[in-house]
Amino acid sequence: MSASQSAVRSRAEAVAVSRTFDWMILFVLFTAVLGGYHIHFMLTGGDWDFWSDWKDRRLWVTVVPIVAITFPAAVQACLWWRYRLPIGATLCILALLLGEWINRYMNFWGWTYFPINICFPSQLIPSAIILDVVLMLSGSMTLTAVAGGLGWGLIFYPSNWPVIAPLHQPVEYNGMMFTLADLSGYHYVRTGTPEYIRMVEKGTLRTFGKDVAPVSAFFSGFVSVIIYFLWHFFGKWFSGTGFIADDAS
Amino acid sequence: MKTIKDKVASLSFVALLMALTAAMFYTPTASAHGEKSQAAFMRMRTIHWYDLNWSKDEVAVNETVTISGKFHVFGGWPESVDEPDVSFLNIGIPGPVFIRAGSWIGGQLVPRSVALSLGETYDFKVLLKARRPGDWHVHTMMNVQGGGPIIGPGKWVTITGSMSQFVNPIVTLTGKTLDLETYNISNIYFWHAIWYAVGVAWMWYWAKGPIFIPRQLAVASGKASTLISSGDKKVGIVFLVGTIVANAYLMGATNDEYPVTTPLQAGTMRGIIPLEMPVPSVNVVVDDATYRVPGRAMQMSLTVTNNGDSSVRLGEFMTASVRFLEPNVLEDETGYPDDLLAEEGLTVSDNSPLAPGETRSISVTASDAAWEVYRLADLIYDPDSRFAGLLFFFDEAGNRQMVMVDSALIPSFI
Ligand SMILES: [Cu+2]
């Protein structure tokens, strides 16, 4: 078969090839995003996402959505503007969570023996669904950044609460009060993570008393909006095809 | 077609391998044997651990071991290490092979970081409960913010039995009894599985039809608006509203199920009470100190004055957790780790009892392979070539006095 001949000879074959490409691209995209996003997220979200005794009402709620909205914004830009596919955020989060679960189960538990109840990942799928559906309904980057980004940050704490609330029950232990998450962190020794590097419940939001989580979530949503714009542009730039001579679009 | 499928399969396999490799990029393991690689001055001039005791060297799963003793916070703390204002009493073990059931400084439980004062001595205790069978090197350890981990001596402890037997029962303040080893794990799996399925359903809705090539062609030919149908929008709204409503409902239901929750507890603890140490009645002046590289020996010239009312003899020199004993005065009965114990490592030019009121110049040699094994000799290559350690004198009744020494060290290469 010479290069000038078509690879397919019938419509049925063309459809089959197109479908094969779908799965190929989807799989490669999924695994490539998994690798890149996972490393990005470990380096930026790091301990806040690793340990249950870092999942507090202030910094975890603030930091995780902000550093997590990056790849979803970029992949959305590619999949939406090129294919009108509103699955960029969900694809990223499914990839990230798969990578995280492999890491937590095989390394944190299987290799180092931390129980899963101290080292499970944060839940981000509801956030991703909001981001994708807002993009699909609005078809607008600005609206997705503003409404989607805010929703992304706001739903983060509620969507994690069913999993972390049980670990926030108080315990009296040797004359001090702990939450179960604190106690896990104390019991299951992390030689390389001394207590003082644990950044929780710090900040200047104390005037809000015990209703600090919603305030943190709003703040996180606002910053997510800005980060969304930034990474959406990265995504657009990254998915450009100007290097192909006859496609300048 | 078949070759394309094979290629997809092999490419997929490569991609999967790459993804797995990326996922394994990070593991929070901690080596328990960092002690030797730590700069010698860090071990000699920061925290001096002594009177250590490991209550057992073999335990079954669920049994406990206590590591207790004292540590002296060196008054001449090196400038290159932050002062121990925020310090955490840790334990050097390879991951949670034991759980830390309790840790105390001066009788105070210290799950958080504490402020330590230079020149003071504290007593401490760490209670460990055995979890994972194996032979583990258990080190005392103090983490200092801005200074890193300061590792104390390590001793091998064997855990027997099976990890599946391990339990960690806890009673909450609301009266619930639970096993912290397994508590909440099925709840975590359940909600992560549910939401993962929702995410996959959304992906599947879009991936089930032809996607990349036809859609790209449609977008390129200006027909992008036809790609999202009103049916798609309805499905999207169901996902959006469903997600928001479900989360609002679950938040309320969770609050009903767990009405009492508290924020994570954190914050530095101050006011840790040091031991009241008597002022030593033995006065020591270091006239000079040299380290002889070929002989692996440190030689100190000391002028010792006994201001007490009982005659004393020098029994031990300790630095960086290595104990050099003068065998005629002191024998170790605490089961101190062999590799850190130089039972006959201390030679004193004249160690006859030093009578009250008497002053004597003595030459003291501390020699042992430990200088090399524990890389203490590297001290001479440190930017601040000084050593520090503890001298222990014993009077006729066997009472002990601790005297801190701190001096420049001159290396000798011949
Ligand atoms: Cu060791």
Side-chain angles (χ1 to χ4, degrees), chain B residues 111-142:
Chain B
R112 316 234 195 100
S113 303
V114 299
L116 301 175
S117 307
L118 298 190
E120 296 286 3
T121 303
Y122 299 83
D123 70 344
F124 78 96
K125 187 169 89 175
V126 179
L127 179 67
L128 299 176
K129 182 174 166 185
R131 179 164 176 259
R132 189 178 147 209
D135 294 322
W136 312 112
H137 212 203
V138 179
H139 287 263
T140 60
M141 186 167 165
M142 183 72 71

Side-chain angles (χ1 to χ4, degrees), chain B residues 158-173:
Chain B
T158 302
I159 301 179
T160 58
S162 156
M163 190 168 141
S164 59
Q165 247 88 65
F166 179 78
V167 286
N168 191 6
I170 299 290
V171 182
T172 68
L173 280 174

Side-chain angles (χ1 to χ4, degrees), chain A residues 16-27 30-31 34-35 38-39 42 50-57 79-87 90-91 94-95 97-99 101-103 105-109 111-117 120-123 125-126 129-130 132-133 136-137 155 157-159 161-163 165-174 176-192 194-196 198 200-201, chain B residues 1 4 8 11-12 15-16 19-20 22-30 86 88 90-93 95-96 98-104 109-113 131-132 141 143-145 163 166 168 170-174 176 178 180-185 187-189 191-192 195-196 198-200 202-204 206-216 219 224 227-228 232-233 236-237 239-240 243-244 247 250-251 254-255 258 260-266 269:
Chain A
V17 168
S18 157
R19 207 59 196 131
T20 306
F21 271 120
D22 280 350
W23 293 118
M24 236 166 103
I25 296 170
L26 210 54
F27 192 91
F30 188 84
T31 42
L34 191 165
H38 192 188
I39 288 171
M42 282 196 293
F50 293 151
W51 311 110
S52 65
D53 65 339
W54 282 65
K55 293 185 162 75
D56 71 335
R57 305 170 306 168
L79 292 185
W80 180 255
W81 300 116
R82 298 240 147 235
Y83 309 99
R84 289 295 186 278
L85 279 174
I87 54 171
T90 308
L91 182 139
L94 289 175
L97 281 175
L98 178 66
W101 271 111
I102 291 172
N103 185 16
Y105 196 83
M106 287 172 60
N107 297 336
F108 283 62
W109 164 246
W111 184 254
T112 329
Y113 297 89
F114 286 104
I116 288 295
N117 61 10
F120 56 92
S122 309
Q123 181 58 267
I125 288 176
I129 299 267
I130 289 182
D132 275 343
V133 177
M136 185 198 72
L137 293 178
I155 204 150
Y157 198 75
S159 65
W161 189 238
V163 159
L167 299 176
H168 283 227
Q169 295 176 90
V171 184
E172 196 236 287
Y173 191 77
N174 284 312
M176 274 176 80
M177 192 180 85
F178 289 74
T179 65
L180 288 173
D182 294 317
L183 198 58
S184 289
Y186 180 58
H187 276 175
Y188 296 89
V189 178
R190 290 161 292 189
T191 307
E195 196 276 339
Y196 52 74
R198 187 165 74 119
V200 297
E201 296 292 332
Chain B
M1 269 332 283
I4 294 184
V8 173
L11 262 180
S12 307
L16 188 69
L20 287 177
M24 286 169 199
F25 185 69
Y26 180 83
T27 320
T29 45
V86 181
F88 180 64
N90 210 335
I91 191 81
I93 48 177
F98 290 89
I99 64 163
R100 175 173 35 219
S103 54
W104 294 264
L109 187 77
V110 286
R112 316 234 195 100
S113 303
R131 179 164 176 259
R132 189 178 147 209
M141 186 167 165
N143 289 89
V144 173
Q145 191 168 37
M163 190 168 141
F166 179 78
N168 191 6
I170 299 290
V171 182
T172 68
L173 280 174
T174 50
K176 257 183 260 181
L178 48 89
L180 197 55
E181 178 80 2
T182 53
Y183 181 64
N184 200 36
I185 290 182
N187 183 48
I188 293 166
Y189 284 149
W191 287 113
H192 270 267
W195 284 110
Y196 208 87
V198 173
V200 169
W202 176 248
M203 283 274 288
W204 180 251
W206 292 97
K208 72 184 186 316
I211 40 179
F212 289 106
I213 295 172
R215 294 181 79 96
Q216 202 273 332
V219 172
L227 289 175
I228 304 288
D232 292 340
K233 291 197 173 171
I237 289 169
F239 269 89
L240 179 68
T243 299
I244 294 171
N247 276 297
L250 286 173
M251 179 105 187
T254 307
N255 285 336
Y258 305 98
V260 182
T261 56
T262 48
L264 298 180
Q265 305 289 303
M269 295 165 67

